């Protein structure tokens, strides 16, 4: 079983809203990731949560904040987003954060910011 | 310099024929991993195949095989007997240890269209 689930599948929000994206895996993976993907572009890594340690891509603005309630959940809190933040947000997990660990992706959340 | 280069933005292949998607990479790390993912229009990234830098043999997974040429730093994906369902975007990716955290680099992708 290599399933990563994400909710919601689609989200439309205004620039003053606060919302959260959820990601869950029950594969016992120790590393989880959030990516942002604009249309016709490759995914860009935003955050890595591995062995209870969060690593952040420095280019990600503070209006995105990850939260890891437990080892199988990784949420992404959204606040005061901009229209340019509209994208597909992909969550992934891997057994470890090793060099050669395959990442398994969820179906993604399509976010539209108005 | 680009870490992963995919030079074919789009490709067409006839159903049941084989197709090769090109990927070259750039790293000075002796230990790294190379991956291919398929992304249909639905958006989900589907893992296809993995090749480790120390693996002696080319990886194969069903109709997918990875033509790994380490000296040339290329990791081309070969899809045999193409099917209509293979039409999708294909991303080549590499994992490499960096200063802050391990980084996962994606290429720009190749859009494959399989013609009936």
């Amino acid at each position: 079983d290599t399933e990563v689930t994400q909710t919601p599948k689609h989200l439309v929000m205004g620039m003053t809203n606060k919302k959260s994206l959820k990601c869950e895996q029950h594969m016992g993976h120790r590393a989880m990731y959030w990516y942002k993907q604009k249309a016709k572009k490759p995914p860009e890594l935003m955050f890595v949560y591995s062995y209870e340690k969060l690593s952040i891509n420095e280019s990600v603005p503070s209006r995105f904040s990850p939260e890891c309630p437990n080892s199988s959940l990784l949420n992404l809190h959204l606040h005061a987003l901009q229209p340019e933040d509209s994208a597909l947000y992909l969550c992934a997990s891997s057994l470890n954060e090793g060099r050669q660990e395959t990442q398994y992706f969820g179906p993604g959340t399509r976010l539209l910011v108005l | 310099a680009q870490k992963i280069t995919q030079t074919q933005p789009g490709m067409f292949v006839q159903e049941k024929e084989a197709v090769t998607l090109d990927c070259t990479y750039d790293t000075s790390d002796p230990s790294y991993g190379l991956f291919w993912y398929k992304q249909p229009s639905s958006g989900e990234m589907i893992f296809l195949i993995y090749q480790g830098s120390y693996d002696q043999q080319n990886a194969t997974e069903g109709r997918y095989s990875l033509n790994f040429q380490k000296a040339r730093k290329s990791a081309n994906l070969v899809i045999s007997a193409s099917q209509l369902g293979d039409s999708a975007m294909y991303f080549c990716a590499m994992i490499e240890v960096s200063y802050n955290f391990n980084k996962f680099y994606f290429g720009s992708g190749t859009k494959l269209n399989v013609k009936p």
Side-chain angles (χ1 to χ4, degrees), chain A residues 13-19 63 78-82 85 113:
Chain A
M13 59 186 291
M15 289 188 283
T16 58
N17 292 156
K18 283 187 181 180
K19 296 286 183 183
R63 53 186 184 266
L78 316 173
H79 174 54
L81 294 195
Q82 302 297 308
D85 296 322
V113 181

Side-chain angles (χ1 to χ4, degrees), chain A residues 28-88:
Chain A
H29 286 181
R30 299 300 301 272
M32 296 183 74
Y33 312 78
W34 276 111
Y35 288 86
K36 173 184 176 181
Q37 186 180 22
K38 301 286 275 184
K40 299 183 181 179
K41 297 288 187 182
E44 299 171 39
L45 185 64
M46 301 174 73
F47 303 102
V48 180
Y49 197 86
S50 175
Y51 290 93
E52 303 176 1
K53 180 185 170 186
L54 179 67
S55 299
I56 299 171
N57 184 336
E58 292 173 350
S59 67
V60 175
S62 59
R63 53 186 184 266
F64 295 92
S65 58
E67 179 209 6
C68 194
N70 59 58
S71 59
S72 63
L73 281 170
L74 184 63
N75 300 325
L76 184 62
H77 299 303
L78 316 173
H79 174 54
L81 294 195
Q82 302 297 308
E84 61 263 28
D85 296 322
S86 299
L88 176 68

Side-chain angles (χ1 to χ4, degrees), chain B residues 36-94:
Chain B
W36 277 93
Y37 286 87
K38 171 185 177 182
Q39 188 175 41
S41 56
S42 60
E44 184 174 1
M45 295 283 279
I46 303 167
F47 166 71
L48 295 178
I49 197 166
Y50 160 79
Q51 179 86 42
S53 58
Y54 292 119
D55 292 345
Q56 295 294 319
Q57 293 187 323
N58 288 346
T60 60
E61 292 283 350
R63 293 186 300 110
Y64 305 107
S65 60
L66 200 152
N67 184 0
F68 181 46
Q69 297 189 40
K70 195 169 183 177
R72 297 179 60 184
K73 295 189 174 180
S74 74
N76 299 339
L77 177 70
V78 180
I79 305 175
S80 63
S82 298
Q83 301 172 355
L84 295 178
D86 294 334
S87 294
M89 182 71 89
Y90 288 80
F91 289 100
C92 179
M94 176 175 69

